[in-house]
Amino acid sequence: MKLKDTIHRDLYKHLFIVALVLLCVYSSARVTGAELADVFNNLDQMGLFLQRFLSPDWSYIPKIIEPMLKTIKMSVVGTTLGVVFAVPFAFLATTVVTRNFFVTTIIRFLMSIVRTIPNLLLAALFVAMFGIGEFTGVLTIAVFTFGMVSQLVYEAIETIDHGPIEAAESVGATKMQIAFWSIAPQISHQIASYSLYAFEVNIRASTILGYVGAGGIGVILNSSLSLMRYDRVSIIILAILVVVITIDWISEIIRKRLV
Amino acid sequence: MSINRKLKSYLPIIVVLAIILYSAAGIDYSEAGNMSFDMVKSVFSGLFHPDWAYVYDGSGEDLLSLLLLTIGIAFLGTVIATVLALPLTFISAHNLWKSNTIVSKIGKFICNVLRAFPELVYAIIFVKMVGPGPFAGVLAIGVHQIGMLGKLYTEEIESMDEAPVESMTAVGANFWQTMFYARLPQLIPTFLSLALNHFEIAVRSAATLGLVGAGGIGAPMIFAIQSRAWDKVGIILFGIIITVFLIDAGTGYLRKKLQ
């Protein structure tokens, strides 16, 4: 085997792709005004930040427990609401259930629109509409979960075994009965697992939702940042880290037992 | 016996329901009452009558140029992250450091720390370091994604097929030879696919980083929301949805070709 038979078999094509990527890098560097020198010129700013950041204000811990719990509660309620709405829509988004290409396409299109809106912008929009507070956070998380879980669930439905559906159909089951008795039992484990996954993602996301006023730990993160209390910022981030890792760990254990 | 078993199978469901109810009870719903029907009506009428004049006016502050800037931020950030994640990956993959297990632990720890901070926090730090503007956004996305990509790449290396490496070592290849002829050809398609996936994620986050002054479409979005200019919010949201949609479709197509 020669060298050109291994990694160099499409050398010109690869060179062209590399050149294209480099061109994109160059033009995005121009557009964004990237200046590497800026980073090194301001290293003392970074040092100052790190210095204050690395001396956390431990006495602040009791004050962050309450908002942290609020954040977790928001994620629980938001995830539940999102999943409750996502599952029926996911059933409508597959031709396996609807037998109707038209309905499926419309539902999928709506779901992908919901998915494309970044959740922080959604939160900002909801804050403007409903006001500052936890309820807004719950709504944002619910919509965000809806987009995420509905896609995962309909993809799961498409990979199921069609035997039970045919069996139910042949004895005259309605679409509703098929959905309940032939499809739902096959994907219930996956729904549970995806809900946990969504919950993990939501815990991460909800910690910053407060930044735009949607309640929880993000609110005090925002106020500590604007007061330049980096000692508090670091303790808040540490708390977020601990909660995220703990929840990831618990849900990992549960998910392993589900499979 | 049977009652006991029944209890055992229902117990998780009861616990989950209890957690959900407890959380739902702990949330402050008072602001839900503040929502007025007129407000929602004006929001929706604005969202569905977007301000088309904002799409392009040649000032460089219009929708198209800001969306392009957002894509530029995401692209450059992802490129920086992809390049910098590689060395970190080779440090944190435990199958490359069989004799020195501590090295891979350090590498993984760095990845975890980098990943722990929300992108928004990085954006705030970098806005202080290099001044407000798109470059701060690039750095924020870049640094955050080093941790994300580093973790995913490491998992990829650790779960890769070792057979080609072993057969090369058996005929006397050294570390670098196995790296270039056995490992990289196996890894590159997956790495590129993950990088593309993260480019897509970066576009979404670049759209929100403007909230803290790190460039992109986020800043005009938040100003429009705060000044209740719903027609402008509508057109910006429309632009973001279309951009994310196109990027999703484009990276999805490329990722399918890579497999």
Side-chain angles (χ1 to χ4, degrees):
Chain A
M1 193 154 73
K2 285 178 183 159
L3 190 63
K4 72 175 175 54
D5 296 329
T6 57
I7 49 175
H8 296 293
R9 59 172 183 266
D10 290 321
L11 186 60
Y12 291 107
K13 194 177 140 199
H14 289 169
L15 279 180
F16 173 71
I17 293 173
V18 169
L20 201 67
V21 170
L22 284 179
L23 187 74
C24 288
V25 171
Y26 175 75
S27 45
S28 14
R30 280 289 298 277
V31 174
T32 55
E35 193 66 66
L36 211 58
D38 275 359
V39 182
F40 295 105
N41 290 341
N42 294 303
L43 273 184
D44 53 329
Q45 269 280 337
M46 187 73 179
L48 202 70
F49 171 81
L50 278 180
Q51 196 188 352
R52 277 197 272 173
F53 189 81
L54 289 177
S55 47
D57 178 9
W58 299 106
S59 63
Y60 197 56
I61 291 181
K63 289 225 174 96
I64 56 179
I65 291 176
E66 178 68 29
M68 199 75 225
L69 278 176
K70 274 272 157 68
T71 302
I72 298 175
K73 284 178 190 166
M74 273 163 53
S75 305
V76 171
V77 180
T79 310
T80 314
L81 277 178
V83 171
V84 166
F85 282 99
V87 172
F89 275 94
F91 275 86
L92 289 178
T94 52
T95 44
V96 179
V97 185
T98 57
R99 310 269 170 200
N100 188 334
F101 185 74
F102 194 62
V103 174
T104 306
T105 316
I106 290 177
I107 298 271
R108 278 201 195 180
F109 180 69
L110 289 177
M111 286 200 290
S112 52
I113 286 183
V114 171
R115 250 201 325 276
T116 49
I117 306 171
N119 54 355
L120 209 57
L121 290 187
L122 202 64
L125 199 63
F126 280 173
V127 166
M129 279 165 75
F130 305 119
I132 291 172
E134 294 145 25
F135 180 67
T136 312
V138 171
L139 277 184
T140 313
I141 295 172
V143 173
F144 179 64
T145 311
F146 173 80
M148 182 165 51
V149 173
S150 58
Q151 186 198 21
L152 290 169
V153 173
Y154 85 63
E155 280 172 0
I157 294 177
E158 286 187 340
T159 61
I160 61 167
D161 179 15
H162 285 234
I165 302 175
E166 278 162 24
E169 228 168 24
S170 65
V171 294
T174 61
K175 277 178 188 162
M176 205 61 169
Q177 284 169 326
I178 292 175
F180 257 101
W181 301 107
S182 307
I183 300 173
Q186 288 192 57
I187 54 162
S188 59
H189 282 283
Q190 272 157 305
I191 292 178
S193 163
Y194 292 146
S195 311
L196 276 172
Y197 167 72
F199 180 59
E200 277 175 48
V201 175
N202 286 338
I203 285 276
R204 280 169 205 270
S206 63
T207 51
I208 54 164
L209 285 185
Y211 196 85
V212 290
I217 191 98
V219 177
I220 56 171
L221 178 65
N222 187 13
S223 59
S224 308
L225 272 167
S226 48
L227 292 171
M228 298 205 196
R229 287 294 301 263
Y230 296 123
D231 49 344
R232 285 185 178 174
V233 171
S234 79
I235 201 91
I236 293 169
I237 289 173
L238 210 63
I240 294 177
L241 191 63
V242 170
V243 169
V244 166
I245 289 175
T246 319
I247 299 230
D248 277 12
W249 179 66
I250 296 172
S251 95
E252 182 99 333
I253 292 174
I254 302 177
R255 274 200 281 165
K256 261 192 193 137
R257 288 185 62 177
L258 276 176
V259 175
Chain B
M1 170 78 188
S2 78
I3 295 174
N4 222 338
R5 192 179 276 171
K6 246 186 186 164
L7 197 70
K8 224 175 192 174
S9 62
Y10 283 121
L11 193 65
I13 300 175
I14 295 170
V15 170
V16 169
L17 279 180
I19 294 176
I20 292 171
L21 286 179
Y22 171 71
S23 311
I27 291 194
D28 180 13
Y29 298 97
S30 58
E31 77 263 28
N34 296 343
M35 191 187 111
S36 68
F37 186 67
D38 285 350
M39 182 71 182
V40 176
K41 218 171 93 183
S42 75
V43 170
F44 275 97
S45 83
L47 290 183
F48 288 112
H49 298 93
D51 174 14
W52 295 105
Y54 184 61
V55 174
Y56 184 74
D57 57 12
S59 66
E61 290 294 312
D62 49 60
L63 185 67
L64 278 180
S65 18
L66 284 173
L67 281 175
L68 212 60
L69 179 64
T70 308
I71 296 175
I73 294 172
F75 185 77
L76 201 59
T78 314
V79 168
I80 291 175
T82 310
V83 172
L84 293 182
L86 280 178
L88 191 62
T89 310
F90 292 127
I91 292 173
S92 24
H94 74 75
N95 51 346
L96 300 183
W97 297 93
K98 284 189 183 114
S99 50
N100 271 353
T101 50
I102 184 83
V103 179
S104 72
K105 284 199 180 107
I106 295 174
K108 281 195 181 116
F109 180 73
I110 299 175
C111 281
N112 281 337
V113 170
L114 287 176
R115 225 149 31 95
F117 295 86
E119 253 156 2
L120 207 66
V121 174
Y122 279 120
I124 294 162
I125 299 170
F126 283 120
V127 163
K128 288 213 161 63
M129 266 180 77
V130 299
F135 188 43
V138 171
L139 291 174
I141 287 180
V143 176
H144 180 73
Q145 294 219 340
I146 292 173
M148 296 295 266
L149 285 172
K151 183 191 176 237
L152 294 171
Y153 285 2
T154 307
E155 277 170 6
E156 220 42 66
I157 292 190
E158 286 179 350
S159 66
M160 74 182 287
D161 181 12
E162 292 277 335
V165 181
E166 271 165 30
S167 28
M168 281 193 74
T169 325
V171 295
N174 66 21
F175 176 79
W176 294 108
Q177 282 168 327
T178 58
M179 179 59 87
F180 278 103
Y181 290 95
R183 289 193 194 276
L184 285 184
Q186 232 189 93
L187 294 170
I188 283 178
T190 332
F191 279 13
L192 285 179
S193 170
L194 286 171
L196 279 171
N197 183 24
H198 275 75
F199 170 54
E200 181 196 317
I201 296 171
V203 172
R204 282 165 217 245
S205 36
T208 58
L209 290 182
L211 294 185
V212 294
I217 192 75
M221 172 87 177
I222 199 78
F223 291 144
I225 288 178
Q226 274 162 0
S227 59
R228 308 236 185 284
W230 299 116
D231 50 344
K232 207 168 164 186
V233 174
I235 191 74
I236 294 177
L237 216 51
F238 190 61
I240 292 176
I241 289 174
I242 287 186
T243 311
V244 175
F245 214 75
L246 289 179
I247 301 265
D248 267 18
T251 56
Y253 171 74
L254 286 177
R255 290 178 70 189
K256 249 192 200 135
K257 275 191 89 175
L258 277 172
Q259 273 163 10

